[in-house]
Amino acid sequence: MAEMAVESDVMDAAGPYDRAKALSAFKLGDVTFYWITRACAISVLLILGGIIISLIIGAWPAIREYGAAFLWTQRWAPSADPPVLGALGPVYGTLITSVIAMAIAIPVGLGIAVFLTEICPIWLRRPIGLAIELLAGIPSIIYGMWGFFVLGPFLANNFQPFMISVFDGVPVLGTIFAGPPSYLSLFNASLILAIMVLPFITAISVDVFKTVPPVLKEAAYGVGCTNWEVVRNVVIPYTRVGVIGGIMLALGRALGETMAVTFIIGNSFKIQSSIFAPGTTISAAIASEFAESDGLHQSGLILLGLLLFILTFFVLAAARLMLMRLEKKAGN
Amino acid sequence: MNFVRTVVAAGLLAASTSAFAADITGAGATFPFPLYSKWADAYKKETGNGLNYQSIGSGAGIKQIVAKTVTFGASDMPLKPEQLDKEGMIQWPQAMGALVPVVNLEGIKPGELVFSGELLGDIYLGKIKKWDDPAIAKLNPKVKLPSDAITVVRRSDGSGTTFIWTDYLSKTNAEWKTKAGAGTAVEWPTGVGAKGNEGVAGNVSQTKNSIGYVEYAYAKQNKLTYGAVVNKAGKTVQPTIGAFQAAASNADWASAKNYFVILTDQPGDASWPITGATFILMHKDATDKAASQEAIKFFKWAFEKGDKMAEELDYIPMPDSVVKQIEKTWASEIKS
């Protein structure tokens, strides 16, 4: 229909005398469209630049005061005179919680996606799909409260004592899973994060799994492949790029999630070897302390924000790089 | 830096501005928020004049009043006289509150366990790790203490409550003073951080063998097991309104410049040592003098008629002698 409408416009305008006028009108429309879309695209860069610049301005006093040592100082003493601030604790917490969350969420999320697209009976598809969507729709503060009142006590009373007793005395693992059990810990926060990022991985994986041409799968089933073999050798390789995209989106969320983590991580700047000990993340630290901060303390918090920005940038850049190499390999 | 501050302040203001227009605006400490809103409600019914108070935290409240975006600011931490002079502001205590140590220990009744500032400091330093530690047993010879590890709970967000608590620990425990110090957010040697008084109350009520500190009202409402404390005079006191008011009456308000008094660890046999006042900050020469006068009227009304409402909410009204002094300050300092 749309095409026909355009054509009839052209017909109307095709009289011998205003052909040039019509053409220039088209050209003008095209140029306008080009510049509008271009301006939209550039506005992203401007906004991003604006954020970076204001972060740098805000963080400047802290950068001047602490320099690079900010990165490897563990002490966080805003009330000391002068304040001693270091980012190591929050950076460590951010990375650890994200890594554990992804380690749990990737296999579970992909598992759900595979089940939904390949194995699930039709009648069960909608309820599960709906549940995943609902999971994505729950506000993070609700996750935080649920973690604080339900998940935290459950983990502290059941799961953690079990893990602590199992790994007691085992080198390395014994220190990672060391007591005492705690309602608020790095591990509890990681688990909440895993649940929160699950919908990102699942929803995107389901969408890309659906793009696998049925003929490819049918051919594989035809030569006698099992479900597992089809997923492993046909579906995943075909959709690799999309799946990794979903995982990266999830990782981005895990790195930056604030409210739920603030509720359940225990907000301790000290780095402890046990993942059942309290810790903090960059965003949780900022959310907790910003309102009552001033001077160098506030500047230090803004510098933490800048660090998170840079950290996320590097993670996403690394993901892009990985995707490019994968695509190249696939091309060969 | 100023740019960022302005942006942040504007953001906070935009986020917290409520739908109705109010004659007087104030912003600051979260601690007196229930009290100020109750007063405002009653005041509006009586006079028709509204008051809009946003509880955005003491630090943010100070920033707002310095930037003159509100009629008054509120802070749980008094500003130093030289700072007030620099900004051309005055401050006065409007109400008081008290903190209590709360514990979750099986078989222990409220008020049964006795602490001292030094002991609380050592627990919060992580030096005393178990409940049956000799230092705790020494103050509590009759109480059967479990040999479980102590879970220390504290605030994770910067807060005036934390300032009062850490200020008390700094005054009574020398090691705390050098290692952590006093402030709205400090370098916590140990413990898990929970958000807000309700977070600490919730955490303590759920975690066995834990200790925390909350405002008295939260301990009462959540039926938490509070502890008694040994005060500066060496007497063991229970947290009662009388003990809180004794701390305020025994404080030296008369000779304190700009009411710069921190109420923790006051002398007197009956004084509860972990008491704090919440302060109002205003410009002496405000840009909007009508609003400024209106605010003074409101606070005067609150001093005269708000005591009962304060007590209902477990706040402690200022003693009359202090109120008289504050009214004199208004008359001499605020320009109309």
Side-chain angles (χ1 to χ4, degrees):
Chain A
M1 270 313 273
E3 238 168 81
M4 276 183 64
V6 169
E7 227 161 326
S8 72
D9 281 352
V10 174
M11 297 283 265
D12 289 344
Y17 32 84
D18 53 4
R19 181 188 155 85
K21 204 176 151 194
L23 275 179
S24 76
F26 283 144
K27 204 172 170 191
L28 185 72
D30 220 27
V31 168
T32 317
F33 184 68
Y34 170 82
W35 279 106
I36 288 175
T37 51
R38 188 172 185 167
C40 291
I42 290 173
S43 71
V44 174
L45 291 180
L46 288 179
I47 293 167
L48 206 66
I51 293 173
I52 295 174
I53 290 170
S54 56
L55 278 177
I56 291 175
I57 293 172
W60 190 246
I63 296 174
R64 261 202 352 219
E65 177 79 18
Y66 305 112
F70 189 72
L71 287 173
W72 57 80
T73 307
Q74 202 200 122
R75 218 176 140 208
W76 184 269
S79 61
D81 194 29
V84 181
L85 304 175
L88 195 60
V91 168
Y92 168 84
T94 306
L95 293 177
I96 288 287
T97 48
S98 298
V99 166
I100 299 175
M102 297 315 285
I104 299 168
I106 292 173
V108 176
L110 287 182
I112 297 173
V114 168
F115 180 76
L116 272 181
T117 50
E118 306 295 324
I119 303 160
C120 184
I122 306 271
W123 61 269
L124 198 56
R125 239 175 238 193
R126 265 197 81 76
I128 294 183
L130 211 64
I132 293 288
E133 274 164 37
L134 276 176
L135 221 48
I138 297 173
S140 63
I141 188 99
I142 306 290
Y143 276 108
M145 281 157 59
W146 179 73
F148 186 83
F149 288 113
V150 183
L151 184 72
F154 170 78
L155 290 172
N157 295 328
N158 303 294
F159 181 74
Q160 293 186 7
F162 169 75
M163 293 297 275
I164 292 164
S165 63
V166 165
F167 291 107
D168 189 29
V170 180
V172 186
L173 286 177
T175 35
I176 292 176
F177 300 101
S182 169
Y183 287 43
L184 310 177
S185 74
L186 280 170
F187 178 79
N188 298 2
S190 310
L191 203 55
I192 284 277
L193 276 182
I195 299 169
M196 290 180 78
V197 302
L198 203 58
F200 288 78
I201 299 177
T202 306
I204 288 174
S205 301
V206 166
D207 284 349
V208 294
F209 284 176
K210 281 184 186 154
T211 64
V212 179
V215 62
L216 284 183
K217 288 194 279 184
E218 279 156 17
Y221 282 122
V223 297
C225 285
T226 60
N227 267 331
W228 161 245
E229 284 165 338
V230 171
V231 170
R232 169 77 187 75
N233 299 313
V234 179
V235 176
I236 299 277
Y238 190 85
T239 57
R240 197 167 37 205
V241 173
V243 169
I244 291 177
I247 290 172
M248 284 308 144
L249 208 60
L251 180 57
R253 168 106 201 232
L255 284 170
E257 172 51 40
T258 309
M259 221 48 235
V261 171
T262 311
F263 259 67
I264 194 171
I265 199 163
N267 301 294
S268 162
F269 283 82
K270 270 212 161 119
I271 295 177
Q272 291 178 58
S273 56
S274 169
I275 58 168
F276 295 151
T280 192
T281 67
I282 293 176
S283 42
I286 298 171
S288 289
E289 293 190 3
F290 197 83
E292 291 278 346
S293 65
D294 51 14
L296 213 50
H297 182 197
Q298 189 168 75
S299 180
L301 289 171
I302 295 171
L303 181 52
L304 273 184
L306 185 63
L307 270 184
L308 183 61
F309 200 88
I310 295 167
L311 198 70
T312 316
F313 175 80
F314 272 111
V315 167
L316 292 180
R320 282 255 147 253
L321 215 68
M322 203 165 86
L323 280 180
M324 267 160 60
R325 288 176 69 179
L326 274 176
E327 273 164 13
K328 232 183 195 172
K329 235 184 186 172
N332 292 342
Chain B
M1 196 57 213
N2 268 332
F3 164 72
V4 173
R5 273 198 188 173
T6 319
V7 169
V8 167
L12 282 172
L13 206 67
S16 57
T17 305
S18 47
F20 63 90
D23 313 333
I24 322 163
T25 54
T30 50
F31 161 63
F33 173 66
L35 179 61
Y36 293 171
S37 43
K38 189 164 187 175
W39 278 347
D41 199 38
Y43 187 68
K44 174 129 193 163
K45 271 186 200 136
E46 210 177 295
T47 64
N49 292 327
L51 172 115
N52 183 4
Y53 181 71
Q54 305 299 338
S55 58
I56 51 177
S58 299
I62 294 170
K63 271 173 229 163
Q64 296 287 312
I65 186 66
V66 168
K68 298 188 177 179
T69 53
V70 285
T71 319
F72 68 89
S75 169
D76 295 338
M77 191 158 66
L79 286 189
K80 294 211 174 76
E82 52 268 34
Q83 213 173 337
L84 285 168
D85 289 345
K86 205 185 104 203
E87 302 289 348
M89 296 196 299
I90 61 162
Q91 73 182 358
W92 69 88
Q94 183 68 32
M96 294 178 294
L99 305 188
V100 291
V102 289
V103 297
N104 179 347
L105 278 171
E106 234 171 74
I108 307 273
K109 286 188 274 302
E112 202 177 1
L113 218 53
V114 179
F115 296 102
S116 66
E118 172 130 44
L119 181 61
L120 288 169
D122 283 349
I123 293 174
Y124 270 78
L125 278 166
K127 276 167 72 189
I128 294 177
K129 292 191 163 67
K130 292 203 160 184
W131 278 109
D132 59 353
D133 191 279
I136 304 179
K138 204 178 139 202
L139 274 172
N140 298 280
K142 286 182 199 149
V143 183
K144 202 177 163 291
L145 293 157
S147 81
D148 292 302
I150 303 174
T151 305
V152 172
V153 184
R154 48 158 178 94
R155 289 284 287 271
S156 62
D157 47 335
S159 82
T161 310
T162 291
F163 168 72
I164 295 168
W165 181 252
T166 52
D167 182 71
Y168 171 60
L169 296 186
S170 297
K171 280 180 181 162
T172 51
N173 188 312
E175 194 177 339
W176 179 271
K177 192 175 180 177
T178 53
K179 277 205 175 146
T184 54
V186 301
E187 182 188 17
W188 296 99
T190 184
V192 294
K195 206 164 160 46
N197 271 297
E198 58 285 356
V200 173
N203 216 344
V204 169
S205 66
Q206 285 189 58
T207 316
K208 278 198 187 96
N209 305 316
S210 61
I211 184 169
Y213 60 91
V214 291
E215 277 148 29
Y216 175 61
Y218 283 90
K220 222 175 118 180
Q221 279 152 21
N222 292 293
K223 297 193 171 58
L224 295 173
T225 309
Y226 53 83
V229 176
V230 178
N231 66 14
K232 199 172 189 177
K235 298 277 190 298
T236 302
V237 278
Q238 294 286 340
T240 58
I241 299 282
F244 304 154
Q245 241 170 352
S249 305
N250 289 327
D252 186 12
W253 293 104
S255 60
K257 194 168 185 266
N258 297 100
Y259 302 95
F260 185 79
V261 174
I262 297 167
L263 282 178
T264 54
D265 208 31
Q266 290 297 329
D269 282 0
S271 299
W272 178 257
I274 330 173
T275 308
T278 182
F279 294 80
I280 298 289
L281 303 159
M282 275 178 69
H283 286 282
K284 286 180 193 168
D285 193 8
T287 5
D288 185 352
K289 295 213 169 48
S292 171
Q293 287 301 319
E294 197 55 47
I296 294 289
K297 256 189 230 161
F298 168 76
F299 290 119
K300 193 174 160 63
W301 173 90
F303 276 141
E304 280 161 11
K305 299 193 178 169
D307 286 3
K308 216 177 133 257
M309 280 176 262
E311 275 169 20
E312 275 165 18
L313 291 170
D314 295 306
Y315 292 89
I316 308 133
M318 296 306 296
D320 288 342
S321 56
V322 182
V323 171
K324 280 208 187 77
Q325 204 185 329
I326 293 168
E327 284 175 344
K328 262 186 224 152
T329 311
W330 288 341
S332 66
E333 296 279 353
I334 297 271
K335 283 183 194 148
S336 56

